[in-house]
Amino acid sequence: QKNKKKEKKNQQLVQQVREDPLYSASMKRALKIMERMIVQGADFDKFSDYKYYHDETEGTDSPNTGSVLPLWRFSTDKSRRKQVTSICWNPKYKDLFAVGYGSYDFLKETSGLICCYTIKNPTWPEYSFTTESGVMCLDFHKKNPALLAVGLYDGTVMVFDIRAKSNKAIYQSTVRTMKHTDPVWQVSWDKEDMLVFYSISSDGRVTKWTLMKNKLEPEEVLKLKLVLDQDKELVDNKKESFLYGLAGGMCFDFNPFNDDQFLVGTEEGKIHLCSKAYSGQYLETYEGHFLAVYAVKWNKYHPRVFLSCSADWKIKMWDKELKRPILSYDLGCAVGDVEWAPYSSTVFAAVIYTGQLYVYDLHQEKHKFMCEHTAMKDAVANHVSFNQDDPIILVGDQKGGVNSFILSKNLRRGPLQPTKDDDEKKTPEDLERDKMENFLSTQDKEVY
């Protein structure tokens, strides 16, 4: 009898644990796939444009032109009153990207929001997380694509696991762990070390964060010392020592061919070439901008070339061996962001504060843009990002929306493939590097 009672109890327990099929994980997955299919059916025209877009400007009399076709706008009710402060594509799932929301108007500071969208369902984010302070930047881990590093307006850096059901970060910096005292403008995962990422802030520090068992371990990589003109410095015979502040860091980028070297753009308009090995000094300082540098980006194929954009309306292209810019474009308005294309060494895109998107290809037309498109109506365009595989470009704006565009064939030429005339050992990467080298050979490299 006792054994029978025990068996009955066990049966009751089993019945309680059983999941209701309506709320099971498999049902949720089936509903998600069904929702995607309904959205793709309802929005069939845009999905067919995405797959089969044919540009009307091809084969016309003006070969050095291109166009972009608007696809979807990604937005939610929560993001309407926030600004897009960063966009990052997932390195593994090519249709997935994360968008950070905060505010660049620091008198109206808001809470932060992170949304992960997919092209498979543009109507609603797959995941979303909220933060107490506005999100300023984010970056997906290259090898663990579920890890998302985030920098906030109050100086905190966090790491989210987007697979987790909770809204809580798995790592977060605190006052005890030397968190930044000013907004964190950019975060970037280390390409070699799995558990390390870097951050830069207006407080003048570049910090390395290591993911330990239960905390973030900080290490100071660099303090951005102000570079002053010789004329303005104190005369030697004055015995008083004068303490200068630190330069405000705005952006940085690590060289894909030499992970020890990185560039830093500052509020003063200077660009510094730095090394992880030398924390006390700059390897080189490039002076060409007169206002804050909003973005610096190394070329993905050539180890010496990089781009910068600034609030002084200029995009400048540099060779790290020269202290002056090789090229300069004046866009007539503050340039919010600039980005190299992943498929070509000579294609890049930029967005400006009046909402325009510009796409350049230096191989086809070096004096002028190939395409100009009004990406936003009555909104500031803050950020731009290329998809790694598809010819899609995203533009984030001041009103909490991200617009997506598909590029015409003229704008997506690359990477070059070896032909019979080429050396058999040359890879597409070598050919793209040579293409940029050929362009550099046509530019004036004299030091004046």
Side-chain angles (χ1 to χ4, degrees):
Q1 282 183 343
K2 281 183 182 179
N3 289 340
K4 281 181 184 178
K5 280 181 185 177
K6 275 185 183 178
E7 279 175 15
K8 278 184 183 178
K9 277 185 183 178
N10 288 340
Q11 282 174 355
Q12 284 171 357
L13 284 170
V14 169
Q15 283 173 353
Q16 285 172 3
V17 170
R18 262 184 203 157
E19 202 173 23
D20 186 341
L22 274 175
Y23 302 102
S24 65
S26 58
M27 185 67 169
K28 279 182 188 172
R29 187 170 179 276
L31 285 171
K32 186 176 274 192
I33 292 168
M34 201 164 111
E35 184 189 18
R36 286 178 180 178
M37 298 314 295
I38 291 167
V39 167
Q40 286 174 29
D43 210 0
F44 177 75
D45 291 346
K46 283 186 180 174
F47 278 97
S48 61
D49 282 338
Y50 161 62
K51 204 163 185 186
Y52 306 112
Y53 172 51
H54 179 72
D55 178 26
E56 291 173 5
T57 59
E58 286 167 32
T60 57
D61 296 334
S62 51
N64 292 344
T65 57
S67 64
V68 293
L69 179 75
L71 292 174
W72 306 281
R73 181 171 172 82
F74 298 86
S75 182
T76 66
D77 293 335
K78 287 181 182 177
S79 69
R80 294 268 155 79
R81 294 183 182 178
K82 294 175 169 46
Q83 298 182 25
V84 173
T85 53
S86 52
I87 304 171
C88 183
W89 287 96
N90 190 286
K92 184 177 179 184
Y93 300 100
K94 306 302 181 187
D95 58 296
L96 187 72
F97 62 94
V99 182
Y101 298 94
S103 174
Y104 288 129
D105 184 355
F106 296 149
L107 297 174
K108 296 178 186 173
E109 191 44 43
T110 64
S111 60
L113 176 68
I114 302 159
C115 289
C116 295
Y117 295 96
T118 173
I119 292 168
K120 292 173 183 173
N121 182 6
T123 56
W124 196 253
E126 295 288 301
Y127 313 98
S128 62
F129 306 93
T130 54
T131 58
E132 285 181 20
S133 185
V135 174
M136 301 305 290
C137 52
L138 40 79
D139 188 34
F140 273 116
H141 197 290
K142 302 295 177 284
K143 291 177 182 169
N144 296 323
L147 294 183
L148 185 66
V150 179
L152 306 185
Y153 170 72
D154 66 359
T156 306
V157 292
M158 310 167 101
V159 178
F160 284 94
D161 186 339
I162 63 171
R163 296 167 299 188
K165 299 288 186 283
S166 68
N167 191 39
K168 200 176 174 217
I170 53 173
Y171 290 96
Q172 182 170 343
S173 66
T174 61
V175 177
R176 286 182 179 179
T177 56
M178 276 171 55
K179 85 170 185 130
H180 291 288
T181 53
D182 276 355
V184 179
W185 287 103
Q186 200 171 343
V187 288
S188 178
W189 287 97
D190 193 292
K191 291 175 182 67
E192 293 176 356
D193 197 325
M194 294 273 285
L195 301 172
V196 167
F197 69 94
Y198 297 86
S199 63
I200 187 167
S201 166
S202 305
D203 64 7
R205 288 188 296 146
V206 177
T207 306
K208 172 183 174 181
W209 302 90
T210 307
L211 277 60
M212 307 297 277
K213 193 174 182 182
N214 51 9
K215 65 167 184 173
L216 278 175
E217 187 67 42
E219 183 186 326
E220 195 173 277
V221 177
L222 186 69
K223 268 192 175 167
L224 299 169
K225 291 172 185 169
L226 277 172
V227 175
L228 298 162
D229 295 337
Q230 295 296 322
D231 307 337
K232 292 181 185 175
E233 283 188 12
L234 290 171
V235 184
D236 290 335
N237 58 13
K238 286 192 179 178
K239 291 182 180 176
E240 295 178 44
S241 61
F242 192 79
L243 204 64
Y244 291 105
L246 296 174
M250 293 292 291
C251 52
F252 64 174
D253 195 26
F254 289 87
N255 191 329
F257 300 93
N258 179 1
D259 203 39
D260 278 346
Q261 282 188 3
F262 61 97
L263 292 164
V264 171
T266 66
E267 288 175 359
E268 292 73 38
K270 306 271 197 300
I271 300 168
H272 304 297
L273 179 63
C274 312
S275 171
K276 293 179 193 172
Y278 309 106
S279 60
Q281 65 191 56
Y282 305 130
L283 301 179
E284 191 64 83
T285 296
Y286 306 95
E287 297 183 20
H289 291 292
F290 303 105
L291 291 172
V293 178
Y294 287 151
V296 284
K297 300 283 171 75
W298 285 104
N299 190 290
K300 292 175 168 63
Y301 293 94
H302 198 286
R304 296 199 319 271
V305 175
F306 63 93
L307 280 174
S308 64
C309 71
S310 166
D312 66 3
W313 306 0
K314 301 279 199 310
I315 298 172
K316 291 182 187 283
M317 181 175 154
W318 308 76
D319 182 332
K320 77 169 188 181
E321 307 297 333
L322 297 177
K323 292 186 84 171
R324 63 173 186 80
I326 302 168
L327 273 181
S328 182
Y329 297 101
D330 189 328
L331 298 185
C333 188
V335 186
D337 196 10
V338 67
E339 173 88 79
W340 288 105
Y343 51 82
S344 173
S345 61
T346 55
V347 176
F348 65 90
V351 288
I352 62 172
Y353 275 24
T354 52
Q356 263 76 24
L357 164 69
Y358 293 93
V359 184
Y360 292 80
D361 187 348
L362 303 172
H363 184 61
Q364 296 181 65
E365 178 62 74
K366 65 182 177 186
H367 300 296
K368 193 171 177 268
F369 50 80
M370 294 268 294
C371 167
E372 178 189 11
H373 186 85
T374 304
M376 307 295 167
K377 288 177 182 174
D378 308 321
V380 171
N382 288 335
H383 289 281
V384 63
S385 183
F386 281 93
N387 186 292
Q388 294 301 310
D389 282 22
D390 295 329
I392 285 183
I393 193 166
L394 299 176
V395 179
D397 69 15
Q398 191 188 25
K399 293 185 176 177
V402 176
N403 286 1
S404 58
F405 303 90
I406 189 161
L407 300 160
S408 66
K409 280 189 180 174
N410 261 3
L411 301 177
R412 58 182 200 238
R413 290 182 180 174
L416 293 175
Q417 297 300 323
T419 60
K420 290 178 182 177
D421 302 332
D422 293 319
D423 185 353
E424 288 180 3
K425 292 178 182 176
K426 284 202 169 180
T427 63
E429 288 78 14
D430 294 333
L431 294 172
E432 282 296 331
R433 190 182 64 246
D434 293 346
K435 184 167 80 170
M436 175 53 86
E437 197 62 61
N438 291 339
F439 171 77
L440 293 176
S441 66
T442 66
Q443 299 303 300
D444 183 6
K445 290 190 179 183
E446 289 298 319
V447 179
Y448 299 113

